[in-house]
Structure formats: structure tokens, C-alpha cells
Amino acid sequence: MKKLSLLNVAFCLIALSSAIFAQQPARVFTADDYARAEKMLGFNTNALVDRSGVRPTWLPDGRFWYRVLTATGSEYVLVNPADGTKKTGTDLAKLGVTVAPTRPAGNEITSPDGKKSAYIKDFNLWMRDVASKKETQLTTDGIKDFGYATDNAGWTHSDKAILLWSPDSKKISTFQQDERGVSDMYLVSTNVGAPRLEAWKYPLPGEPIITIQRVIIEIETPRVIRLQLPPDARRGTLCDDISCSGSFDDNEWSPDSTRLAFVSSSRDHKSAKLRIADADTGEVRQVMEEKSATQYESGQGALNWRYLPASNEFIWYSERDDWGHLYLYDGSGKVKNQITKGNFVVTQLVKVDTQNRVLYFNANGREQGRDPYFSHLYSIGMDGKNLKLLTPEDGNHQVTMSPDGKYFVDTYSTPDAPPVTVLRNLTGRQVVEIEKADISRLRSAGWKAPARVTVKSRDGKWDLYGLMFTPTNLDPAKKYPVVNYIYPGPQGGGVGSRSFSASRSDHQALAELGFIVVIIDGTCNPDRSKTFHDLCYGNMADNTLADQIAGLKELAAKNPYMDLTRVGVWGHSGGGYATAAAMFKHPEFYKVGISESGNHENRNYEDDWGERYIGLLRTGADGKDNYEAQANQIYAKNLKGKLLLAHGGMDDNVPPYNTYLVVDALVKANKDFDLIIFPNARHGYGGDSFYMMRRRWDYFVKHLLGAEPPKEYEIKSKPDPRMTAGR
């Protein structure tokens, strides 16, 4: 009896303690808690960084000026590279600099001599004389869905003319675009009264492809010269379509304007053909063809092939030895020599000195012991000899070359070290230190930099690099839930630039609410070897998730304050796709997800995205195609955690039907989930973005911390007062 009584007492005590624990209220976040986090957003932190952001404006005499923000306002600085002298003033006039007013070009493309501009009107190409305003119609047979110089289809579409003027301003290289066999995309506005319908051509995988018929137009007595070759696929060596820069990419005129070099890319990006056209006759000669088992790309963020007609040569970019390198070819299409070589990636060919036969280029990963995503500038002879590092400091270097090619401005920094800007000559010798950013006010405000982290990939083969954000008041003895921000690429990663930034999205702000925020650039991201980038080719649904999980486990083993029983994930666009996949395919690991604007079904997304990284749509013997298994809605029935989906109702990049498919599948599977639709928002949400940010904070606070967020906290951006000071 006595033992039983003690047992009963014990049970009563346990029950009582459980009841007391159950009655304890959840932590309630206040507006002050959110305001503390808000201090870490960019519109607050950027205003505390002084003497940063040098953007040189070069003058005809070789000097340059820039405006720099200080603790009390701003000042102008004039630099003379010839002697390294600097002059400072409150305005440019006091420095003796006169700046001509800029004229907005709009959708018109101005000729090299500045006397003419070309634009689209009624599906045809027109020209305007800048002085007299006289208009001349250059083409006459353009019709709807078969117009000239158009970039009006797919996820980037505008009325800006896509063309390339010849150096003598007498010819234009452009195309007539045939999109007549392509589906229309529809979006409908939300407003009082009749809705507004937006309809435009939006090619999907498996449909007829948009083609371009290349032309050269003589403008003095308008004449259209069609290049003598079949229509090309609307594809580029670097972009999803034919234009990354807003110009006609993959086209180069000879200096005398008699020949045009261009590259024709196949629909699946596996073939790139370099061709040269006679500008007078339209006759085309094929010089060479590069083939790839996956996709050919001409660089990482920049086109890297060059036409050298004076020496009858050209420079070509290839990953044929598993790394992105430069090759020298003769005019017949034969390789003369490999210019760069080694386990590093050439990212951008900055300058070609044909007289001295020297190249200047940016590259990643050559300097041992450094972050392989750090960019450095190098020089090398066209014969592949005399490779020289021109920017030696351990950091990410951003270079601006002077127009005369004698100097360059070099700004270098790391994610945790502020930028230093120097002026160098082409030997790499420092002429003068221009600016050193001051972040003392930022640090005094309680800011701290993210930690750079390195982890192993899922198979232990590769080093992966990322950033980790922790609360400024981190208590290592406590346990913190983890938020994994993800952008899987494959054309880019989640970390983004390796340069210094006072804020990256809201990662530090979210950390201030009591989270550990981690970003890892997984395998399948660019700027590494071809093998590394192609690991997910044909299966974008991989989403680097296995790398993310392996990396988080490795970090948690080193940092016990990371609680992997409470892991959240969020991302936007491709990251939204990855987030939903994480919640559906790894529910044992990811407990809370926020999926924004995800391309969940690539058969519903512009053809070039999927065809570039998955391949052409094909149906197998089982009647299923190679895209089906990569669609998120198929796995929606596996949802166990808390999922918030968000999308803009007028998203013309990733149409909202991508998310609606997932919503429909979740409803049919009888799954609970949350949904936010921004009725008139585009892909990035625009004016609704801060609302989405606050809802994101609320969702993680409630479902990962088990706490109550403040009621309807409003994030309000404010301008940097220095931006208008001194004007």
C-alpha cells in the first residue's frame, strides 16, 4: 500500500507538472522585437556604410570622377590616373567637371555616331534621325507574331529593339522572329470593373520553337539582306534566349563593317556554330562547331568569344577539358593553341589587346586556399604564356577598365570584410588607393558579418561554400531552430556575390528573431568545373537538397546550438521550387517551408529553361515524359509539415499556374497548407514584398519557435538621407 501511494503521488506530480507546462503561454514577440530585426535590413544598414560603392565615370582626357557617401552627406572625387592625384569637392562644377545631361533612350537603340536611333513600330523596324526627328521605315513585311527585332516572348519580353549597329552606323544586324506556332500565355488583372487581359507568346517545352531569320539592314537606302541560312532557334550561348544584355548577343561586326560574325545555338544548347556573314551579299560561311553532351555556355555571366578579323583569328570559350577556358583558333576553324589552362574557371574576357597579343580576363578558383568563387583579374599572352595575377589580394575583385585601356579600378572585399578600391595600371601595379570603406558606424549599431562556412557535398567529394547568419546576441548554450535559404540554380546559387554587403535579403534580420540562417551553394551550381555544374543535368528536381541536408548536419555537429529537429526552408522562384520539393521529399528533415513563386512544373515554364538543363521533352515507352517526375504536384501528397505557398497573380516570369497545380494537388490529397496570392504583383512582388517578408517572419516564428508574432507588424523602408544631400 505504501509503495502504491508513493507511485500514485509520483503520477500526480508528473500530471501536475505537465498541466503547468501545458498552461505556460507561448512566447509572445512584440513590435520592438521585430523592430530590432528590421534594423538589419538593407535600407537601415546601407545608410551606415561610408566611402563605399565607387562607380567611376571616365572623362575624355583619361581622368575619372565618382560620388561617395560619407557620414554627413556626400562628396565628389576627381582622379587623374597619370599622376595618381585626387581632388575632392562638394560638387562637380567646383572640380572643373561638366557633365552633359543624359537623354533616356527608352526602347530606341542609338547608332555609334549618335546621329540615328532604331526602334520597333507596327512589327517593323524604323529609324529616327536624332537631329531632325525624321522617321524612316526600314522593313515593311513585319506582321503580328512575325515581327522584326522583337524580344516580346517568354519570361522576358519588352518592346525594346534587339539589334546591333555596325561600327560605321550604316548597317544593322537583327532578325525577323517567327513565333506563330507558339502558345499564348494569359494573365488577368484584379480590379474594380472589367479585368485587363495580358496575352503574349510564351513557348513551352515540346511545342514548336520560336525561330529567328537573321538579316542585315542597310539604312541609307533601306535594304534588307537575308542571311543565307535556315532559320535559327531563338537561343544564345549564355542566355535563355537571344539577349542577355538588351542587345543582340552573339554578334560581332568587323571594324570595317563588311562582315558579321555570329553564333547559332541549337534548341537544346548542345551545339554552337560560329559563322561569318558577308554584309553585302548575306553569304554565310561556317567556321567551326562546338558540341556538348549537356549544354554549351560561352562563359559565366559574360560572352567570351571574340572575332579578330585583322589577324584572321578568333578566341573561343570551351569547357572541353572540364574547366572554362579560352582557345585561339585560326580563320579556318582550327585550334592554334589553348590560351588558359588549369583547374580554374575563366568567367569574363575583359579586354583583348590585339597589338600586343595579350588578353585580360576574370577567373575564379585559381588561387589556392581561397574561396573558389572569388574573382581575380589576370593577363596572359595569346600563345598561352606569361600568365599574371593582377589583383593579388584575397577577396572578390570587381574591375572596371578605363576606355583607353591603360588603367583599371579594382574594388575588392569579402562577405565579412568591407571594400577597398584602388587604381592599377595594366601590369597590376597600384597607382593610388582610391577609397577604403568605413563600417565603424555599422558595427556600433550592433551589426556583425555572416560567418563563411565550408562543408562537404552529399558524397563527401566536393567542398561546398556558404554563409551562416546567427543572432547578434547568440547564446551558444541554447538551441536555435535552423532556416535553410535555398536557390539551387543551376544558373546561379543562393549566396550570390562574394563581395561585401551590409545586408543580404533579410537573412540577418531573421536571425535576430532567434534563428540560425544558412545558405549553401550546392553541387550543380556554376562557376566551378563542368562536372560540378552538370551533376544535376537532366534532373533539376535534385534541387541540391541532399547537399543542403548533408551540409546542415555537418555544421550542427560543429555548432551544437543548431537544433536540427526544427529546420525550416524558404526560397523564391527556383528556390520556391526547391522549397516545396524539400517539404514533399524530405519531410523527416524539413518541418516548415515557405515557397515563393516556384516554377513547380517545368512543362508550364518557358521552354528554354527546361530544355537547357533537362533536355528536350521526350516521351518514353511507358508513356511518361522526362519532365513528369520533376513536377512538384506529384509529390504533394507527402506533405507532413507546415507549408506556405505564395505567388504573384500577374507573374509574367513564372506564371501563377505553377503554384495553382500544387494547390490543386494538396487539396485533392486533403492536406492543410497556407496560401498567399498577391493579385497584381509580378515575380518579385514589388510593393507587396515587405508584406511577404513580414509574413515569412511570422510563419517561422509561429511554427519553428512555437511563439506568437506581433499583430500585423509593418515593415517600412526609408531612403538613405545621404542620397539627396549635396545635390
Side-chain angles (χ1 to χ4, degrees):
M1 286 290 293
K2 186 175 181 181
K3 289 182 178 179
L4 183 62
S5 297
L6 290 174
L7 189 61
N8 286 338
V9 170
F11 277 130
C12 289
L13 289 173
I14 292 172
L16 180 61
S17 63
S18 298
I20 292 173
F21 179 78
Q23 293 171 7
Q24 288 179 347
R27 178 187 171 187
V28 177
F29 278 71
T30 67
D32 287 342
D33 294 320
Y34 269 39
R36 181 173 174 272
E38 187 179 342
K39 289 180 179 179
M40 297 300 169
L41 295 178
F43 57 78
N44 286 315
T45 58
N46 292 335
L48 301 176
V49 178
D50 302 320
R51 311 204 72 86
S52 182
V54 174
R55 296 179 179 85
T57 299
W58 297 89
L59 300 174
D61 62 6
R63 297 178 300 165
F64 68 89
W65 65 267
Y66 61 92
R67 182 184 184 217
V68 68
L69 299 178
T70 68
T72 57
S74 68
E75 63 186 35
Y76 290 90
V77 182
L78 178 66
V79 180
N80 186 351
D83 57 14
T85 57
K86 295 167 56 179
K87 294 182 180 179
T88 302
T90 55
D91 60 59
L92 286 174
K94 292 181 179 179
L95 294 176
V97 176
T98 301
V99 180
T102 57
R103 184 179 67 86
N107 292 326
E108 299 187 12
I109 309 299
T110 305
S111 60
D113 63 10
K115 297 180 179 180
K116 298 169 280 290
S117 64
Y119 57 95
I120 299 170
K121 180 180 177 181
D122 298 329
F123 314 114
N124 282 290
L125 194 65
W126 289 64
M127 179 183 68
R128 188 191 318 275
D129 184 276
V130 172
S132 69
K133 309 300 182 186
K134 178 185 176 182
E135 294 182 303
T136 302
Q137 187 170 355
L138 300 178
T139 69
T140 59
D141 59 339
I143 58 174
K144 186 178 184 301
D145 300 329
F146 194 28
Y148 282 88
T150 61
D151 193 21
N152 61 350
W155 67 272
T156 57
H157 51 101
S158 75
D159 295 326
K160 184 177 181 179
I162 305 301
L163 54 85
L164 184 66
W165 282 93
S166 62
D168 63 5
S169 300
K170 295 180 179 180
K171 302 183 184 73
I172 290 173
S173 168
T174 187
F175 54 87
Q176 187 175 10
Q177 180 162 291
D178 191 351
E179 52 195 37
R180 291 173 290 186
V182 173
S183 293
D184 289 327
M185 180 59 67
Y186 303 100
L187 296 174
V188 179
S189 66
T190 300
N191 51 265
V192 175
R196 182 186 74 256
L197 174 68
E198 290 188 5
W200 76 104
K201 293 298 181 180
Y202 193 96
L204 297 174
E207 290 189 339
I209 190 174
I210 294 176
T211 59
I212 59 171
Q213 298 182 15
R214 298 178 183 269
V215 299
I216 291 173
I217 302 173
E218 294 179 346
I219 65 168
E220 291 184 348
T221 302
R223 181 170 76 105
V224 176
I225 304 164
R226 293 192 177 270
L227 301 195
Q228 297 173 22
L229 76 166
D232 270 335
R234 191 186 76 148
R235 295 288 187 261
T237 64
L238 189 66
C239 270
D240 292 340
D241 51 47
I242 53 167
S243 177
C244 290
S245 62
S247 181
F248 195 7
D249 294 339
D250 287 311
N251 281 255
E252 283 193 20
W253 283 99
S254 62
D256 63 3
S257 303
T258 63
R259 286 162 290 173
L260 177 75
F262 63 96
V263 178
S264 299
S265 295
S266 63
R267 176 172 185 165
D268 58 8
H269 289 272
K270 293 182 179 181
S271 167
K273 299 175 180 178
L274 177 67
R275 292 163 162 165
I276 297 177
D278 184 306
D280 293 323
T281 66
E283 182 180 356
V284 175
R285 176 175 66 90
Q286 182 166 312
V287 179
M288 59 86 69
E289 180 180 13
E290 173 99 4
K291 293 183 178 180
S292 172
T294 54
Q295 80 278 343
Y296 170 76
E297 295 170 317
S298 64
Q300 305 295 334
L303 293 164
N304 286 323
W305 66 270
R306 295 289 188 276
Y307 178 36
L308 310 176
S311 58
N312 194 28
E313 296 171 309
F314 64 92
I315 297 166
W316 188 252
Y317 182 89
S318 175
E319 295 176 289
R320 66 190 61 167
D321 70 355
D322 202 37
W323 298 89
H325 284 301
L326 302 173
Y327 295 77
L328 183 65
Y329 278 73
D330 66 22
S332 68
K334 294 181 180 179
V335 179
K336 297 181 71 172
N337 58 269
Q338 183 170 351
I339 302 173
T340 60
K341 190 173 185 179
N343 293 347
F344 63 93
V345 181
V346 174
T347 58
Q348 181 180 11
L349 181 53
V350 177
K351 172 181 168 63
V352 178
D353 181 348
T354 55
Q355 182 176 353
N356 296 304
R357 296 187 68 80
V358 176
L359 306 182
Y360 298 84
F361 63 93
N362 291 325
N364 294 357
R366 181 178 180 271
E367 308 310 311
Q368 297 301 306
R370 299 183 181 183
D371 186 325
Y373 294 94
F374 283 174
S375 177
H376 293 273
L377 181 70
Y378 301 84
S379 64
I380 194 171
M382 289 188 190
D383 58 3
K385 298 178 181 179
N386 300 318
L387 176 66
K388 184 177 181 180
L389 172 64
L390 303 179
T391 54
E393 296 84 1
D394 185 1
N396 190 52
H397 292 257
Q398 298 175 307
V399 170
T400 303
M401 195 73 66
S402 65
D404 62 12
K406 296 179 180 179
Y407 302 92
F408 63 91
V409 175
D410 172 24
T411 298
Y412 59 91
S413 64
T414 68
D416 50 2
V420 175
T421 302
V422 300
L423 177 69
R424 304 183 193 272
N425 63 23
L426 290 192
T427 69
R429 181 182 66 84
Q430 181 174 314
V431 176
V432 63
E433 182 179 284
I434 296 175
E435 293 291 349
K436 194 176 223 177
D438 181 358
I439 61 170
S440 57
R441 293 195 299 129
L442 183 65
R443 292 191 187 279
S444 296
W447 176 91
K448 74 171 182 179
R452 290 192 272 163
V453 297
T454 305
V455 296
K456 287 293 185 181
S457 59
R458 66 192 83 180
D459 56 5
K461 181 179 179 181
W462 306 92
D463 284 333
L464 307 178
Y465 298 81
L467 296 175
M468 183 166 72
F469 301 77
T470 59
T472 53
N473 60 357
L474 176 73
D475 182 351
K478 292 184 177 180
K479 287 282 191 178
Y480 295 84
V482 176
V483 172
N484 183 191
Y485 171 75
I486 187 169
Y487 190 84
Q491 90 294 352
V495 174
S497 171
R498 261 52 182 189
S499 295
F500 177 84
S501 179
S503 290
R504 292 173 183 263
S505 183
D506 62 338
H507 302 317
Q508 185 60 45
L510 187 59
E512 291 303 292
L513 297 177
F515 301 93
I516 308 299
V517 180
V518 179
I519 315 172
I520 298 171
D521 280 342
T523 54
C524 315
N525 285 176
D527 291 332
R528 302 282 290 273
S529 68
K530 177 71 168 170
T531 299
F532 186 92
H533 192 197
D534 283 350
L535 283 172
C536 303
Y537 182 83
N539 180 28
M540 278 206 291
D542 176 279
N543 279 307
T544 79
L545 291 172
D547 291 323
Q548 305 294 322
I549 294 171
L552 291 177
K553 289 180 177 178
E554 183 178 338
L555 289 173
K558 300 174 184 176
N559 304 286
Y561 52 79
M562 295 175 64
D563 183 0
L564 293 193
T565 67
R566 295 180 292 165
V567 179
V569 58
W570 83 273
H572 191 97
S573 193
Y577 173 53
T579 294
M583 297 299 294
F584 300 157
K585 296 180 179 180
H586 299 279
E588 77 292 342
F589 188 82
Y590 291 106
K591 305 300 169 52
V592 181
I594 302 174
S595 170
E596 300 178 9
S597 305
N599 54 314
H600 303 287
E601 168 58 272
N602 281 298
R603 290 171 297 187
N604 273 36
Y605 193 39
E606 187 190 352
D607 60 354
D608 190 60
W609 177 257
E611 291 175 356
R612 183 177 180 182
Y613 295 113
I614 300 175
L616 300 181
L617 184 70
R618 304 185 190 282
T619 302
D622 59 357
K624 296 182 178 180
D625 62 62
N626 54 325
Y627 282 54
E628 182 174 345
Q630 301 182 49
N632 273 342
Q633 69 269 17
I634 295 174
Y635 309 100
K637 60 187 177 183
N638 299 329
L639 178 64
K640 294 181 181 178
K642 299 293 296 185
L643 174 63
L644 170 60
L645 298 165
H647 218 113
M650 297 296 286
D651 189 337
D652 55 354
N653 179 338
V654 181
Y657 317 116
N658 280 263
T659 288
Y660 297 161
L661 285 168
V662 175
V663 168
D664 188 52
L666 288 167
V667 170
K668 287 180 168 57
N670 196 35
K671 294 291 182 177
D672 291 338
F673 64 97
D674 295 287
L675 175 67
I676 300 175
I677 297 296
F678 300 100
N680 291 310
R682 298 293 190 186
H683 192 55
Y685 305 155
D688 297 331
S689 60
F690 283 129
Y691 177 85
M692 182 68 235
M693 183 181 291
R694 191 267 293 175
R695 291 294 303 271
R696 190 162 62 241
W697 296 1
D698 290 353
Y699 209 73
F700 284 134
V701 163
K702 187 172 184 178
H703 298 298
L704 276 185
L705 282 175
E708 188 65 27
K711 177 71 172 176
E712 296 177 351
Y713 183 86
E714 186 175 6
I715 300 172
K716 293 182 178 180
S717 66
K718 55 185 179 183
D720 186 338
R722 304 173 301 172
M723 295 302 294
T724 55
R727 287 187 176 178

